[in-house]
DNA sequence: GCATAATAGTGAAAACATTCACAAATGAAT
DNA sequence: ATTCATTTGTGAATGTTTTCACTATTATGC
């Protein structure tokens, strides 16, 4: 079966809110209530879940903790994936301390740069490595995913380096289309584009 | 006619690359070449453009500068939209200096916080205002869009404040679904979600 | 000027995603 | 026990987006 791209994105969002709900001690939740929290329709949630199994109970909905665990399993969050950030500039610096990542099962296990001003320094307790050592350290640290926050000009070159070291998943902030082997997945975060889409909306009003 | 959401996002991406191409002095480009630069299919580009008119020339493609101008017109980028950032923390600080925004026709015209440590200080040459003065200053500065980088707990409250002051477009980084009047548009940038989607892909391999 | 190649634009088809609507299960109240 | 309300899970219907496949037009080389 083919699972819609958007379903995966939504599952992530459900997961986060289930996390909060569990913290608050909520035990049960219906697709209806969850929908109103996450801003979706109840049937969307049920359909999304139905691709992976059936986790609810007719009449009473879902057990928050169970559903949370199931989604973690689906998204592969159980084992605490290890992530590297490459590029300790403005953005890399903001991201390295972001609690939202760790909270949800990601571990920023290493950070890299190519500037002598940054290599050897500590950022939020993490030693900044020389990008030249990526391959060795990534293996050593068990890095599976890379967050790319280098200047646009360097992005393709670094992509080649990290995919060459066996990385199969990249979260890219540089506003450029990265060419990668086809077993590598890239997600682009394009803030200027997000703003421009909003701008379109503003002009339409 | 209904224009696909994704079309608008892609137009933004085309725009950026046309900007680079123009800078490099490229005069003409075919949908095929542009497609390979932006990572889409040629027919996707042609179809996207066809919603708004016909801008190319059979046999030779598009004139880079003309197409760039047309897309700017479509997205409402011509007049240089004025944007405020609310929340001068880690992320707000990274964004305030981001050249990518100004380059593409956005002006960060004001920044806000509620902390006495930040109000009155300058960030990249911009005076940080008290969020309590938002309404007045937004009017004064002609703010049309807001980038929201406040802690999650404050996001809904600030949303109420800024939409109450007439803002109709929000770029939200807090991992929460914002309730807004229905003539207000919110785009959520959810980095943890982006990572989780990647994680799903990694587990599937 | 003619043949050939390149390319835009676009209906129609196919693929994909959301929403509807209802059966079946469960829970709550009496 | 029976009734009524709630809620899931899911086929089917509907809606949306992408891709195909073709026509018409322009450019190029001879
Ligand atoms: N700052 C923002 O708000 C923002 C927003 C959206 C997108 N971006 C994009 O994110 C990327 C980074 O932005 P930034 O503002 O943090 O830039 P920056 O210049 O502050 O940081 C870039 C960092 O990458 C390092 N670097 C350069 N070449 C490298 C290489 N070959 N290997 C390893 N490290 C290298 C630099 O030393 C620097 O520390 C850019 O592509 C930018 O367009 C930035
Ligand atoms: N740091 C990251 O890398 C990152 C990544 C993704 C998402 N986010 C999200 O972005 C938001 C901001 O993150 P951050 O790391 O920059 O947080 P931060 O704590 O560094 O900054 C928040 C800023 O908002 C200000 N603030 C608090 N309440 C306010 C109010 N009522 N009005 C105006 N200003 C107020 C604070 O004074 C502070 O300067 C959070 O919701 C976070 O979850 C952050």
């Amino acid at each position: 079966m083919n699972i819609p791209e958007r379903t995966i994105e939504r599952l992530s969002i459900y997961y986060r809110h289930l996390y909060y709900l569990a913290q608050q001690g909520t035990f049960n939740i219906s697709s209806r209530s969850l929908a109103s929290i996450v801003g979706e329709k109840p049937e969307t949630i049920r359909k999304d879940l139905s691709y992976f199994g059936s986790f609810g109970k007719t009449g009473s909905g879902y057990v928050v903790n169970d559903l949370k665990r199931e989604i973690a399993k689906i998204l592969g969050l159980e084992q605490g994936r290890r992530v590297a950030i490459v590029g300790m500039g403005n953005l890399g610096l903001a991201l390295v301390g972001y609690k939202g990542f760790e909270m949800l099962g990601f571990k920023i296990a290493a950070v890299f740069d190519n500037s002598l001003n940054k290599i050897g320094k500590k950022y939020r307790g993490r030693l900044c490595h020389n990008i030249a050592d990526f391959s060795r350290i990534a293996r050593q640290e068990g890095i599976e995913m890379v967050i790319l926050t280098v200047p646009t000009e360097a992005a393709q070159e670094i992509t080649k380096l990290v995919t060459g070291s066996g990385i199969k998943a990249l979260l890219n902030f540089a506003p450029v289309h990265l060419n990668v082997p086809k077993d590598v997945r890239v997600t682009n975060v394009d803030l200027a584009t997000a703003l421009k889409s909003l701008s379109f909306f503003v002009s339409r009003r």
Side-chain angles (χ1 to χ4, degrees), chain A:
Chain A
M1 194 182 3
N2 230 21
I3 291 142
E5 194 76 31
R6 290 284 168 92
T7 289
I8 301 301
E9 287 175 32
R10 284 190 300 257
L11 284 177
S12 304
I13 296 172
Y14 307 157
Y15 180 86
R16 195 188 20 244
H17 287 281
L18 290 166
Y19 183 99
Y20 295 142
L21 286 165
Q23 272 191 331
Q24 287 164 31
T26 307
F27 194 79
N28 274 300
I29 193 157
S30 66
S31 60
R32 187 127 79 91
S33 319
L34 184 57
S36 90
I37 294 173
V38 301
E40 300 286 347
K41 303 196 172 174
E43 55 269 41
T44 304
I45 296 181
R46 296 201 302 272
K47 179 63 101 180
D48 284 344
L49 293 171
S50 79
Y51 291 113
F52 300 96
S54 93
F55 310 115
K57 210 171 163 191
T58 320
S60 67
Y62 304 88
V63 174
V64 170
N65 263 305
D66 293 357
L67 186 57
K68 174 168 160 272
R69 191 166 342 103
E70 291 294 344
I71 294 181
K73 220 185 287 174
I74 293 165
L75 296 175
L77 300 178
E78 286 173 313
Q79 62 273 56
R81 293 203 178 283
R82 298 173 73 78
V83 179
I85 302 181
V86 180
M88 273 295 105
N90 292 310
L91 201 52
L93 219 53
L95 294 176
V96 69
Y98 183 42
K99 295 283 194 311
F101 291 147
E102 305 251 326
M103 208 172 83
L104 299 175
F106 296 100
K107 173 126 187 66
I108 309 294
V111 307
F112 297 87
D113 207 292
N114 75 339
S115 158
L116 296 178
N117 294 325
K118 308 210 167 164
I119 297 167
K121 291 231 175 66
K122 280 204 168 183
Y123 297 97
R124 307 276 175 157
R126 286 161 190 95
L127 186 68
C128 181
H129 298 283
N130 190 331
I131 183 67
D133 300 331
F134 182 85
S135 197
R136 179 172 59 80
I137 290 170
R139 209 170 328 112
Q140 198 171 296
E141 293 283 349
I143 303 293
E144 294 178 289
M145 308 170 73
V146 163
I147 299 178
L148 211 59
T149 50
V150 296
T152 308
E153 313 78 66
Q156 182 62 62
E157 174 201 334
I158 299 296
T159 298
K160 202 168 164 215
L161 171 66
V162 304
T163 58
S165 309
I167 298 297
K168 303 289 185 200
L170 290 169
L171 186 64
N172 172 42
F173 285 84
V176 66
H177 170 73
L178 299 175
N179 286 109
V180 291
K182 62 178 165 334
D183 64 337
V184 173
R185 173 82 157 213
V186 177
T187 297
N188 293 298
V189 178
D190 189 332
L191 303 184
T193 287
L195 261 190
K196 272 184 278 176
S197 305
L198 270 179
S199 172
F200 174 73
F201 172 77
V202 172
S203 18
R204 274 289 149 113
R205 283 178 34 239

